Amino acid sequence: RYEWFYEGAALYMSQKLGVALNRTRFDDYISSLSTAMAYDRSAPKGLSLAEAGDTRWSGNARTLYARGMLAAFTLDVELLKSSKAKRSLEDVLRKLFSEHDRRKGSKAVAGTAIIDAFAAFDNTGNLAREILERTEPLDLAAVLENSGFEFSDSGRGLKVKEKPDSKEKAILNKLGYNNWRKLSL
């Protein structure tokens, strides 16, 4: 039961990397997250992210990808908030890859290894487990607090706050908000 993380983190990180490499605009990153929110809200009721992974080939792929991407975003933002923008999803991925490299012959159960990797960083393991088992759409209201993001006027998407404070700016910058300024002329 690791598809939720593998698929969601891959999709999320591809968006984040696109922004970091100036191949994607930050607005496109936000738009992708907003689209994932809309898909997650229309997901079948009573379906957890773990179950969506188990049944993705029988019609739940959209839920897996949308909620998986939002799960990765949620966990990334929570790591950034709790560490004052010093830890992120990249740190969890590095930990997973270094501890569970195929060459080392790791026999760990993937789901447990993922939860344990998050638990090592500001104890986001509990949040990862909750997201995995949640049967309703993800509630992003708490995640967006002090993140530099807020719901758009329609409430259907995300946008950057008009005047984020310094901590929120640090989080937004780690996510690539001002990355375009780093372009060499």
Side-chain angles (χ1 to χ4, degrees), residues 75-89 91-92 95 115-128:
L75 292 163
D76 196 19
V77 169
E78 287 300 327
L79 283 164
L80 288 165
K81 287 189 329 188
S82 65
S83 69
K84 298 180 181 165
K86 290 182 176 73
R87 299 274 187 212
S88 68
L89 184 59
D91 295 301
V92 175
K95 181 173 180 56
I115 300 295
D116 290 348
F118 277 105
F121 295 99
D122 300 320
N123 202 23
T124 51
N126 291 332
L127 178 60

Side-chain angles (χ1 to χ4, degrees), residues 106-176:
S106 175
K107 301 286 186 205
V109 175
T112 304
I114 293 165
I115 300 295
D116 290 348
F118 277 105
F121 295 99
D122 300 320
N123 202 23
T124 51
N126 291 332
L127 178 60
R129 184 176 288 106
E130 177 190 323
I131 288 171
L132 180 60
E133 297 168 357
R134 185 181 178 88
T135 57
E136 298 92 36
L138 293 178
D139 179 17
L140 295 178
V143 175
L144 298 182
E145 276 183 38
N146 304 315
S147 71
F149 290 101
E150 62 187 6
F151 290 110
S152 63
D153 297 332
S154 66
R156 294 183 181 162
L158 298 176
K159 68 178 187 176
V160 174
K161 283 184 177 179
E162 187 87 19
K163 294 185 180 188
D165 64 28
S166 61
K167 289 179 184 177
E168 293 169 337
K169 284 179 185 175
I171 290 169
L172 290 169
N173 286 333
K174 282 288 191 175
L175 295 173

Side-chain angles (χ1 to χ4, degrees), residues 17-153:
L17 184 60
V19 172
L21 295 174
N22 287 308
R23 301 285 187 233
T24 306
R25 296 176 316 135
F26 192 76
D27 289 345
D28 296 327
Y29 165 79
I30 293 174
S31 178
S32 293
L33 289 168
S34 297
T35 300
M37 283 174 49
Y39 282 148
D40 189 40
R41 289 179 182 157
S42 68
K45 303 295 180 225
L47 183 69
S48 72
L49 189 50
E51 293 165 336
D54 293 344
T55 59
R56 72 177 163 167
W57 303 120
S58 58
N60 291 313
R62 190 165 93 169
T63 301
L64 173 67
Y65 286 96
R67 193 172 296 166
M69 182 179 186
L70 289 176
F73 169 72
T74 297
L75 292 163
D76 196 19
V77 169
E78 287 300 327
L79 283 164
L80 288 165
K81 287 189 329 188
S82 65
S83 69
K84 298 180 181 165
K86 290 182 176 73
R87 299 274 187 212
S88 68
L89 184 59
E90 287 94 340
D91 295 301
V92 175
L93 291 173
R94 274 190 213 95
K95 181 173 180 56
L96 279 168
F97 290 129
S98 70
E99 290 181 1
H100 302 287
D101 185 323
R102 273 193 252 186
R103 291 171 286 185
K104 293 179 182 175
S106 175
K107 301 286 186 205
V109 175
T112 304
I114 293 165
I115 300 295
D116 290 348
F118 277 105
F121 295 99
D122 300 320
N123 202 23
T124 51
N126 291 332
L127 178 60
R129 184 176 288 106
E130 177 190 323
I131 288 171
L132 180 60
E133 297 168 357
R134 185 181 178 88
T135 57
E136 298 92 36
L138 293 178
D139 179 17
L140 295 178
V143 175
L144 298 182
E145 276 183 38
N146 304 315
S147 71
F149 290 101
E150 62 187 6
F151 290 110
S152 63
D153 297 332

